Amino acid sequence: MKSNNNTKLILLHPYIQKQGGSNRLWLLAFVSFFTIAFLLTLIYTRETSPVKAITTTMAAGSASSSTYGSNAPLPTTVINTLLHYASRSNDSFHMSHAEIKPISDALRKCSSPCNFLVFGLTHETPLWKALNHNGRTVFIEENRYYAAYYEELHPEIDVFDVQYTTKMKEMRELIASTKEQIKNKCRPVQNLLFSECKLGINDLPNHVYEVDWDVILIDGPRGDGPEGPGRMTPIFTSGVLARSKKASSAKTHIFVHDYYRNVERIYGDEFLCRENLVESNGMLAHFVVEKMDENSFQFCRNHTSNSSTSSS
């Protein structure tokens, strides 16, 4: 048996090893490139998506703002809805639709921005603020603690408290003394900030007297007893504010709530005047008062009906 003692020697050329390693390196580089490209694409997509969403939202908001600008009035459907639900409240002291509608109409017809002054914080307070969209609405309240509480509860609402010094049992005496001072302290045209007339409110913030009020609502203070402050002062003050406008020559719409009561009816006729009464449904009286010359010393042109009403 022959043994094969031939030894076979296999030599690997360095070129072959180098060529195999080079192919693997190219493959690794190719895979790495596409992996990095994929990761970069994923990261870029995730970062730009929120930006696109924000841009789309801003564009939509801009389009919405251009359609319904901040100065645009409330749509009629919104106003009617507000009136509907406000007049159907379970609160026993809420206004009816027939009482709310004339005030809403006056605010709607008012030139923007509308200046709306309200005596009394009531169930309808948020409604008045909402209806006078884009306008200035200021509330006057007799109870300083309730005024502070309400303003804290609704920081968007401007409320000022005032301390009334009148009493309902003084109703006729106050009319008589005011008539005696009609050419002096109780003039129909004056700056109430410096007024010494007992029926004039002179302790509100200065800017309240500088505003030409377009619409005034008198629904406070209390008027339910002889010791109550009554609404004599707000009615007189509203009449003076309307006649003493500085810049605007537009008429002032003044609404007196609870007009069926003696104080509201007698003082409304005396200082807002029957000749200016355009509408009354028993609960609400609507007066339209014109600006007067500063040398005028009569609240009403026709005194016959007023004096007969006051003396009754």
Side-chain angles (χ1 to χ4, degrees):
M1 184 174 182
K2 292 182 179 180
S3 61
N4 189 1
N5 295 324
N6 295 333
T7 302
K8 294 181 179 181
L9 180 62
I10 300 176
L11 296 176
L12 295 177
H13 197 279
Y15 175 76
I16 297 176
Q17 291 180 349
K18 189 175 181 180
Q19 186 178 21
S22 177
N23 289 337
R24 285 194 297 271
L25 286 175
W26 276 108
L27 179 62
L28 179 62
F30 183 78
V31 172
S32 299
F33 172 77
F34 277 98
T35 302
I36 293 172
F38 174 76
L39 290 175
L40 289 175
T41 303
L42 181 63
I43 293 172
Y44 176 77
T45 303
R46 293 183 62 182
E47 286 182 349
T48 55
S49 293
V51 174
K52 289 181 180 179
I54 292 172
T55 305
T56 304
T57 303
M58 290 177 65
S62 177
S64 176
S65 297
S66 61
T67 305
Y68 302 102
S70 58
N71 293 325
L74 284 176
T76 303
T77 52
V78 175
I79 293 175
N80 291 337
T81 302
L82 290 172
L83 300 187
H84 172 81
Y85 286 105
S87 62
R88 282 161 176 75
S89 168
N90 292 326
D91 192 320
S92 57
F93 297 102
H94 75 274
M95 285 186 178
S96 66
H97 186 273
E99 298 165 62
I100 297 174
K101 187 66 165 56
I103 304 171
S104 171
D105 290 343
L107 292 172
R108 190 186 307 190
K109 296 174 184 177
C110 183
S111 59
S112 182
C114 187
N115 297 317
F116 186 22
L117 180 64
V118 183
F119 289 90
L121 288 175
T122 64
H123 169 79
E124 290 78 23
T125 295
L127 175 67
W128 304 140
K129 174 66 176 178
L131 289 178
N132 192 24
H133 184 59
N134 295 321
R136 177 194 283 117
T137 306
V138 171
F139 296 87
I140 309 298
E141 169 59 30
E142 62 172 311
N143 188 325
R144 67 174 61 184
Y145 301 106
Y146 186 60
Y149 164 77
Y150 204 94
E151 200 167 28
E152 183 178 355
L153 195 64
H154 301 279
E156 75 281 4
I157 290 180
D158 294 325
V159 186
F160 301 107
D161 66 277
V162 62
Q163 301 301 311
Y164 294 102
T165 59
T166 56
K167 293 184 179 180
M168 286 184 59
K169 64 182 181 182
E170 305 169 341
M171 174 183 68
R172 300 190 184 280
E173 291 80 359
L174 286 170
I175 286 183
S177 64
T178 300
K179 286 182 176 180
E180 292 176 358
Q181 297 291 331
I182 200 168
K183 292 186 178 182
N184 188 11
K185 297 178 180 179
C186 301
R187 301 186 308 277
V189 179
Q190 60 172 303
N191 187 343
L192 287 169
L193 182 62
F194 307 104
S195 177
E196 296 181 1
C197 183
K198 191 169 184 180
L199 283 178
I201 300 176
N202 60 5
D203 57 349
L204 292 172
N206 292 11
H207 69 270
V208 174
Y209 301 102
E210 297 171 358
V211 175
D212 287 341
W213 299 102
D214 300 298
V215 182
I216 301 176
L217 170 61
I218 301 166
D219 201 11
R222 293 169 292 117
D224 52 359
E227 297 298 323
R231 297 175 184 173
M232 299 88 72
T233 301
I235 292 174
F236 174 86
T237 298
S238 298
V240 173
L241 289 173
R243 294 177 174 91
S244 306
K245 281 187 172 182
K246 300 174 181 65
S248 174
S249 59
K251 298 177 181 179
T252 305
H253 294 263
I254 302 178
F255 295 89
V256 180
H257 194 222
D258 300 319
Y259 187 63
Y260 69 93
R261 301 192 302 200
N262 282 338
V263 167
E264 283 76 1
R265 179 173 51 83
I266 293 174
Y267 272 72
D269 293 350
E270 188 69 41
F271 300 113
L272 303 179
C273 308
R274 274 293 181 96
E275 66 212 36
N276 297 324
L277 181 63
V278 296
E279 184 181 10
S280 174
N281 60 14
M283 288 295 295
L284 185 74
H286 179 191
F287 297 87
V288 179
V289 181
E290 294 182 346
K291 178 181 178 180
M292 291 179 65
D293 184 83
E294 61 180 355
N295 295 319
S296 300
F297 299 106
Q298 293 180 355
F299 281 89
C300 307
R301 297 185 184 91
N302 183 3
H303 293 277
T304 306
S305 61
N306 297 324
S307 36
S308 63
T309 304
S310 302
S311 60
S312 62

